[in-house]
Amino acid sequence: MTIPTESIQPTTETLSNKTLANSLHRQMIAIIDFGSQYSELIARRIRETQVYSEVLSYRTTAEHLKKLSPAGIILSGGPNSVYDEYAPQCDPEIWHLGIPILGVCYGMQLMVKQLGGVVERAKRGEYGKASMFIDDPTDLLTNVEEGSTMWMSHGDSCTQLPEGFSVLAHTDNTTCAAISNPIKKLFGVQFHPEVVHSVGGIALIRNFVYHICECEPTWTTEAFVEESIREIKAKVGDKRVLLALSGGVDSSTLAFLLHRAIGEKLTCMFIDQGFMRKGEPERLMDIFDRQFHIPVEYVNARRRFLAQMEGVTDPEIKRRRIGHEFIKVFEEESQRLGPFDYLAQGTLYPDVIESADTNVDPKTGERVAVKIKSHHNVGGLPKNLRFKLVEPLRKLFKDEVRKVARSIGLPEEIVSRHPFPGPGLAIRIIGEVTAERLNILRDADFIVRDEISKQGMYHDFWQAFAVLLPIRSVGVMGDKRTYAHPVVLRFITSEDGMTADWAKVPYDLLEAISNRIVNEVKGVNRVVYDITSKPPGTIEWE
């Protein structure tokens, strides 16, 4: 099986080869989303088994699912109670498709209710870790150990099962922790097997994917790359493609993939707005243009962007101005370098799931760009500057993009680069952005990255960076009074950036960084450490 790169949602379909699309979706697990915070995580866990998965709305009809012909269906959790007046429902015809179905939490309760069982408010809710005791160790619970800890989050319980169902497992508080109707291949779990807290959760998922749905592990990096190159060539033909390159892993992977597919028909544009880290623009040009011979049009717009920051202290105004200026520069340069038929964007699958901000040309059915997802993540292209989109990464999660990047030869310094905000250092300088403050922060940030790399700890953090505050404090250097800026160090750990914890950094590392910053960076005399998690804080300060 090869790897699908089109969306199965009609509103965002980008490929026209229906026969190919249908065959690609043959071994797919469809995830019906009822508003769970873990729906994306379910999709990622399925893909970790090397089987393709997609998240669909709970409004998806049984007829549409039948056309997609997935190997299995998972009903996600959700915040509602199934007996609420406006609780989301699935098409009841899905129970008659003959496709294996696994209901998770709300999904299980909905299965029970729609098939004639009873779901009621539990006398006692169950939240957090709970030990699961297995009544039937076959099918779904094969190789799941007795007493395994599972993550519960429910205030309702199934008090009467539909005809043909039996209990597979229970907890001290829940008599129906896992259920099944093996004849119809319908299964349900009251817990969340997709979260890391559920011991044996991955084994359960693998049982559903491999043994119950009979899938094969064919969602591989190699297959994705081969299929993407074929589709890019077929889609683009002899037309020209423009890519706004940022230096991040998404746009860089896209550039390498497109260059392999269409060669000189790709034009990469790098707009240097002056807010990148020390040495990054030069390093980017060296890697692409000189090392890998992928030509990049370098646009030096530093003065223009810095002028937009004059007198601005509000972070939202900063973002808007940077976004608007980026659009102006992009429009000018694309007209100078063009014409182009296609715009390449590094859209990822979470963007597809979460964003309804798409536009479909009514004549061609092609998605067209009304918003550029560059490294700025703000603003939109002018409506008269319309391109057809090339988005070969739009079915991938971030970790999958990194796997693709490594497979096609991107340098590890790009693959493993810490996430960097679109507006760059402009939102790591609190208050007005000036040339002097940019230089201070660049130097401090370089020391942070240099020290964690020297101590082999770069990959221990999701992000590690410095923030410059617009205040001054008194200090003493060489028996003289100083009045200089404080720098805040922000080191965090995270799996996906949605939540984050401050990193428990060794004191000797903090000491080394602090000593270097106050001794080497002119204008700084104090270093502090941010110990705020997300939530309640955010990763960035602005």
Side-chain angles (χ1 to χ4, degrees):
M1 185 183 109
T2 49
I3 305 301
T5 57
E6 71 164 336
S7 170
I8 59 179
Q9 303 174 52
T11 56
T12 57
E13 188 170 83
T14 58
L15 296 179
S16 58
N17 190 335
K18 304 298 181 183
T19 302
L20 176 62
N22 289 337
S23 67
L24 291 177
H25 290 148
R26 194 67 186 172
Q27 280 201 320
M28 175 188 75
I29 302 296
I31 298 157
I32 307 300
D33 180 22
F34 293 96
S36 171
Q37 61 179 317
Y38 299 130
S39 294
E40 284 187 26
L41 185 55
I42 296 174
R44 290 175 61 185
R45 293 292 182 252
I46 299 297
R47 294 192 186 188
E48 286 172 6
T49 69
Q50 293 189 311
V51 173
Y52 184 67
S53 62
E54 286 213 12
V55 178
L56 305 175
S57 166
Y58 69 87
R59 297 185 180 90
T60 303
T61 64
E63 185 63 26
H64 187 55
L65 283 168
K66 186 177 180 180
K67 291 178 181 178
L68 297 175
S69 189
I73 298 170
I74 295 180
L75 309 182
S76 83
N80 299 93
S81 293
V82 294
Y83 46 74
D84 288 345
E85 183 178 0
Y86 299 107
Q89 307 287 320
C90 63
D91 185 343
E93 291 301 313
I94 71 168
W95 313 116
H96 307 299
L97 292 175
I99 299 172
I101 299 176
L102 171 63
V104 175
C105 200
Y106 180 91
M108 166 179 152
Q109 295 170 5
L110 185 62
M111 177 187 295
V112 169
K113 181 177 180 294
Q114 287 194 345
L115 292 176
V118 178
V119 179
E120 298 177 311
R121 186 69 181 173
K123 293 180 180 179
R124 177 184 173 189
E126 195 171 25
Y127 303 94
K129 297 177 180 179
S131 295
M132 184 179 69
F133 306 103
I134 299 174
D135 301 294
D136 183 352
T138 59
D139 288 333
L140 195 65
L141 300 182
T142 302
N143 297 323
V144 177
E145 293 185 6
E146 173 75 6
S148 293
T149 297
M150 294 298 174
W151 187 260
M152 292 285 189
S153 182
H154 67 103
D156 299 327
S157 290
C158 302
T159 56
Q160 183 178 326
L161 296 181
E163 182 179 351
F165 279 80
S166 61
V167 174
L168 297 179
H170 66 278
T171 69
D172 288 336
N173 193 52
T174 302
T175 57
C176 301
I179 62 174
S180 78
N181 182 331
I183 302 301
K184 294 185 176 180
K185 291 191 175 182
L186 302 179
F187 302 85
V189 292
Q190 187 59 75
F191 50 88
H192 288 274
E194 69 275 16
V195 303
V196 294
H197 308 291
S198 290
V199 179
I202 296 300
L204 185 153
I205 289 172
R206 292 173 68 89
N207 287 336
F208 180 72
V209 170
Y210 289 144
H211 304 311
I212 295 170
C213 299
E214 300 181 347
C215 292
E216 296 180 1
T218 52
W219 173 253
T220 65
T221 300
E222 293 75 14
F224 172 82
V225 171
E226 292 175 6
E227 188 59 47
S228 294
I229 290 174
R230 284 197 294 269
E231 290 183 356
I232 291 167
K233 288 180 177 179
K235 184 182 181 74
V236 172
D238 60 354
K239 306 297 184 182
R240 297 183 67 201
V241 178
L242 176 62
L243 167 63
L245 185 65
S246 72
V249 66
D250 301 338
S251 68
S252 297
T253 302
L254 184 55
F256 269 58
L257 192 61
L258 287 167
H259 189 259
R260 182 176 294 188
I262 60 175
E264 63 183 18
K265 292 190 284 291
L266 169 67
T267 297
C268 293
M269 179 201 304
F270 170 59
I271 299 174
D272 183 359
Q273 89 286 55
F275 304 140
M276 294 188 75
R277 291 174 287 202
K278 189 172 184 177
E280 281 193 328
E282 296 81 3
R283 183 59 180 152
L284 179 68
M285 296 299 294
D286 180 69
I287 289 173
F288 278 83
D289 208 348
R290 288 178 281 279
Q291 288 189 33
F292 292 95
H293 308 294
I294 300 176
V296 178
E297 292 287 338
Y298 174 79
V299 180
N300 187 343
R302 294 183 180 187
R303 290 185 179 180
R304 292 180 58 166
F305 280 90
L306 189 59
Q308 290 295 320
M309 296 294 98
E310 186 174 349
V312 177
T313 58
D314 186 287
E316 291 308 310
I317 296 177
K318 285 184 188 178
R319 290 178 181 272
R320 285 200 297 271
R321 288 199 177 187
I322 291 171
H324 293 158
E325 192 63 25
F326 181 86
I327 293 165
K328 290 179 183 179
V329 176
F330 183 88
E331 182 178 21
E332 293 169 9
E333 296 300 320
S334 63
Q335 290 177 351
R336 177 179 68 85
L337 298 169
F340 297 97
D341 297 277
Y342 289 93
L343 174 68
Q345 292 193 153
T347 308
L348 303 188
Y349 194 43
D351 302 319
V352 176
I353 296 173
E354 297 169 5
S355 174
D357 191 16
T358 60
N359 189 32
V360 179
D361 189 307
K363 294 181 180 179
T364 65
E366 293 273 12
R367 269 193 1 114
V368 295
V370 294
K371 176 173 283 191
I372 185 166
K373 298 181 87 60
S374 71
H375 55 302
H376 294 286
N377 298 316
V378 287
L381 290 174
K383 291 185 178 179
N384 63 346
L385 194 66
R386 295 169 69 88
F387 301 91
K388 297 176 183 178
L389 293 184
V390 179
E391 300 174 296
L393 307 182
R394 70 189 315 270
K395 306 311 298 178
L396 301 184
F397 288 103
K398 192 77 168 186
D399 56 330
E400 293 174 316
V401 173
R402 295 188 192 279
K403 291 178 183 177
V404 170
R406 290 188 176 96
S407 74
I408 59 178
L410 259 75
E412 191 62 31
E413 65 182 276
I414 293 180
V415 177
S416 300
R417 179 181 186 252
H418 286 177
F420 190 60
L425 299 181
I427 60 167
R428 290 180 178 173
I429 295 173
I430 311 304
E432 184 179 3
V433 178
T434 66
E436 178 189 10
R437 291 178 177 179
L438 279 168
N439 288 333
I440 291 173
L441 185 56
R442 275 200 192 92
D443 289 342
D445 178 83
F446 173 80
I447 290 171
V448 170
R449 291 184 290 127
D450 188 47
E451 282 298 323
I452 62 175
S453 296
K454 283 181 178 177
Q455 298 200 27
M457 297 184 67
Y458 184 87
H459 303 298
D460 293 349
F461 311 111
W462 175 264
Q463 283 177 257
F465 57 90
V467 176
L468 183 67
L469 300 186
I471 61 174
R472 295 176 186 268
S473 65
V474 175
V476 178
M477 291 184 180
D479 294 327
K480 293 182 180 179
R481 176 185 181 275
T482 62
Y483 194 54
H485 292 285
V487 161
V488 179
L489 302 183
R490 180 71 162 144
F491 291 13
I492 60 107
T493 57
S494 179
E495 287 191 2
D496 53 17
M498 299 300 292
T499 60
D501 193 14
W502 61 277
K504 283 64 176 178
V505 182
Y507 288 159
D508 60 345
L509 175 60
L510 289 176
E511 182 179 32
I513 292 172
S514 177
N515 284 340
R516 284 192 61 186
I517 288 177
V518 296
N519 280 284
E520 297 177 26
V521 181
K522 186 178 180 180
V524 176
N525 66 354
R526 191 178 299 271
V527 177
V528 299
Y529 190 59
D530 183 350
I531 58 169
T532 312
S533 296
K534 175 188 178 182
T538 54
I539 293 176
E540 300 291 343
W541 273 50
E542 287 193 342

